[in-house]
């Protein structure tokens, strides 16, 4: 399927469709109108994170993009929200990578994300099925004020959730990582 351009395109369209639907459900739960499914993926993601940033701010937290001044990705967490997201996405990615290995698949192939030898693109594709659920776990934690600066260590302006990561991980364990995908 990865090599066949028609199959690849169909699978990428399905991943985008699920991502858009689940993201819009989360936004609707926070009283936002849905983002049009006709948006290009990058534009959709920018609109989605712009709205989540407003929700996060409404809960009294800062959320700053991890993109640097040159628009390159800066992987260091610049706030407690970034650090929590890093932990949560990293945890789910590692679980998905294990499932990919068990299935005997090549983790570097991709249908939606740009494949590179430096990242496991298939894992990023599969995270899209769970992204809104992961974000919802974080939003619940922020809404209930169950995340504070006391949970973090700050080293060279980077935030690390090292004091209580088990609380976020426990919440993520409720996600069904073996959900069947059409």
């Amino acid at each position: 399927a990865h090599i066949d351009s028609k199959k690849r395109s169909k699978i990428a369209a399905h991943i985008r469709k699920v991502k858009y639907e689940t993201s819009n459900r989360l936004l609707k739960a926070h009283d936002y109108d849905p983002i049009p499914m006709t948006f290009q993926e990058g534009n959709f993601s920018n609109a989605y994170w712009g709205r989540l940033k407003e929700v996060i701010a409404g809960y009294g937290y800062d959320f700053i993009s991890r993109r640097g001044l040159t628009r390159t990705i800066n992987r260091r967490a610049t706030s407690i929200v970034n650090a929590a997201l890093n932990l949560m996405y990293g945890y789910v990615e590692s679980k998905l990578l294990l499932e990919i290995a068990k299935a005997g698949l090549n983790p570097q192939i991709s249908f939606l994300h740009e494949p590179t030898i430096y990242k496991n693109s298939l894992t990023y594709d599969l995270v899209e099925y769970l992204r809104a659920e992961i974000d919802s776990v974080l939003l619940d934690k922020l809404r209930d004020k169950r995340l504070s600066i006391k949970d973090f260590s700050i080293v060279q302006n980077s935030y690390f959730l090292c004091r209580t990561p088990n609380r976020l991980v426990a919440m993520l364990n409720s996600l069904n990582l073996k959900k069947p995908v059409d």
Side-chain angles (χ1 to χ4, degrees), residues 14 33-34 53 63 97-98 103 107 109 134 146 154 174 178:
H14 184 267
D33 290 333
K53 184 176 180 178
F63 174 70
L97 190 55
L98 180 61
I109 65 166
I134 297 166
R146 291 186 286 162
I154 303 170
S174 66
K178 293 185 179 182

Side-chain angles (χ1 to χ4, degrees), residues 2-3 8 96-97 100-101 104-126:
H2 173 257
I3 296 170
R8 181 185 182 102
L96 288 170
L97 190 55
I100 290 168
L105 299 173
N106 179 348
Q108 293 177 329
I109 65 166
S110 178
F111 296 96
L112 184 63
H113 292 89
E114 184 69 30
T116 75
I117 61 170
Y118 302 108
K119 64 182 181 182
N120 297 308
S121 300
L122 183 57
T123 307
Y124 294 125
D125 286 354
L126 295 176

Side-chain angles (χ1 to χ4, degrees), residues 121-182:
S121 300
L122 183 57
T123 307
Y124 294 125
D125 286 354
L126 295 176
V127 163
E128 297 301 350
Y129 288 98
L130 299 165
R131 183 173 302 282
E133 291 182 57
I134 297 166
D135 298 340
S136 181
V137 167
L138 177 66
L139 292 176
D140 289 347
K141 198 118 168 101
L142 297 177
R143 180 194 63 231
D144 298 341
K145 305 291 187 222
R146 291 186 286 162
L147 196 62
S148 76
I149 195 71
K150 295 180 293 185
D151 297 321
F152 295 82
S153 291
I154 303 170
V155 179
Q156 297 179 344
N157 298 324
S158 294
Y159 292 72
F160 298 92
L161 181 60
C162 64
R163 295 197 176 116
T164 57
N166 56 326
R167 292 189 308 176
L168 277 175
V169 168
M171 295 177 80
L172 288 172
N173 280 330
S174 66
L175 299 178
N176 183 359
L177 299 181
K178 293 185 179 182
K179 209 182 278 191
V181 178
D182 294 336

Side-chain angles (χ1 to χ4, degrees), residues 67-74:
R67 293 214 180 259
L69 296 175
T70 61
R71 302 288 298 156
T72 59
I73 294 177
N74 172 0

Side-chain angles (χ1 to χ4, degrees), residues 4 11 24 33-34 38 54 72 79 88 90 149 157 160 168:
D4 183 313
I11 292 169
N24 275 328
D33 290 333
T38 56
E54 292 176 10
T72 59
S79 70
M88 295 168 73
I149 195 71
N157 298 324
F160 298 92
L168 277 175

Side-chain angles (χ1 to χ4, degrees), residues 52-107:
L52 281 192
K53 184 176 180 178
E54 292 176 10
V55 173
I56 291 166
Y59 293 149
Y61 294 87
D62 288 327
F63 174 70
I64 303 164
S65 170
R66 293 185 302 170
R67 293 214 180 259
L69 296 175
T70 61
R71 302 288 298 156
T72 59
I73 294 177
N74 172 0
R75 293 283 180 201
R76 295 178 298 142
T78 54
S79 70
I80 64 174
V81 173
N82 286 128
L85 285 170
N86 284 351
L87 174 75
M88 295 168 73
Y89 284 123
Y91 177 78
V92 171
E93 288 168 10
S94 69
K95 292 288 196 176
L96 288 170
L97 190 55
L98 180 61
E99 294 303 318
I100 290 168
K102 285 180 185 176
L105 299 173
N106 179 348

